[in-house]
Amino acid sequence: FGNYERNEQRAVGTTTLLVPEFAHLNRISPSPFFNTQLSLRLDGRFSNRHTAFVRYSHDGIRAYGQARGYPSSWLRQPAWADQSILGLTSVFGDTMVNDLRFSYFYINSRVASVTEQECPGCLGVGAPSITVAQTGLSLGGSATQLTLARRFHLNDYVTWQRATHRMQFGVDWEYNRGGTLNLSNEPVTLTLFSPQRARQQPNIPPLPSAFRTLDDILQLPLQSVTIGVGDPRLLQENGSLVRSWNTLRFFFQDTWRLSSGLTLNYGLGWSIDRNLNYDLTKPVLLAPIFGADGLGPTRKQWKNFSPVLGVAWSPWFDAKTVLRGGAGFYYDFLFPG
């Protein structure tokens, strides 16, 4: 089986500035979105007891969208995601089936400032983020979001039918590497006074009557400046700047048919999530919340047991009405932002 899709959207965005000094920058700019999706799957039968399949999927995006202000402050959003999966189903006797799955997932995406390719000749391309207060004008960009991650996923489930019991048990394991990195105010974010406010201040050098270049705009007085400090990447336990972690889960579940109208479901799972920094202490400012003795590194949790219980009951012989109830205790995995 194969499937290919291509989506092309050619939209536009408008820039409307009412301040006379910047009215000449009003324009209509292209804001395209391109998306390619591809899926391929192959199924095969090795014998009467063993069947397998392999699938590959791709999702690619290239977009340039309106965020705020002038087009040089819009966002460029390329993304590339791939997933591959291999499955094997095996029948052992008349009452036991084993399902094995192994998958690999890769994503590489970015939210960043535009370049000359997306916005040729745009004022402020390549400049840091510059905002002229009270005018609606924003140029350039100083924020970037990078996502680069890989995930290997293996699970093996067994279904076993024995008399009035249908039992399932198995294991689920993931290895993750990478995550999302946010860079803000790099190299700098500037806010400038508006021409009207600047001309009201004494001892201000003469300003241009029309602000047509970046140098003209930078003659406006500085109102505020914000600079990013430090490396946003954290040093991990193993000395690497790239985060990696494992998650593991075991489970057992039984569907017990007590009678033609009553079925009981019960099970137990256990999981562990290693996506935490177990070597980092908490900052002192959290002492009022955790207490002075609660600022140590996060402890590893080895008792994440998840029991479940459910019942399905049909009170009448025609089985047209079924009453269901259940409860469970679950632990969710953490993912880096």
Side-chain angles (χ1 to χ4, degrees), residues 268-272 300-307 329 331:
L268 180 65
W270 176 84
S271 61
I272 183 172
K300 300 178 182 179
Q301 299 293 329
W302 298 98
K303 300 178 181 179
N304 291 347
F305 291 99
S306 302
F329 196 83
Y331 293 90

Side-chain angles (χ1 to χ4, degrees), residues 10-36:
R10 292 177 172 84
V12 295
T14 60
T15 301
T16 304
L17 302 171
L18 302 180
V19 178
E21 290 89 346
F22 301 115
H24 62 278
L25 296 176
N26 293 340
R27 56 181 288 172
I28 297 177
S29 306
S31 179
F33 173 87
F34 302 104
N35 176 230
T36 301

Side-chain angles (χ1 to χ4, degrees), residues 17 24-25 40 43 47 60-61 76 95 108 111 117 123 149 155 163 185-186 202 208-209 219 250 273-274 325:
L17 302 171
H24 62 278
L25 296 176
L40 299 172
D43 291 81
S47 67
I61 297 174
R76 175 172 53 94
T95 60
N108 187 342
V111 179
Q117 180 179 356
L123 182 66
N155 58 62
N185 306 309
E186 292 288 346
S209 58
Q219 293 185 45
F250 295 95
D273 185 4
R274 296 300 307 277

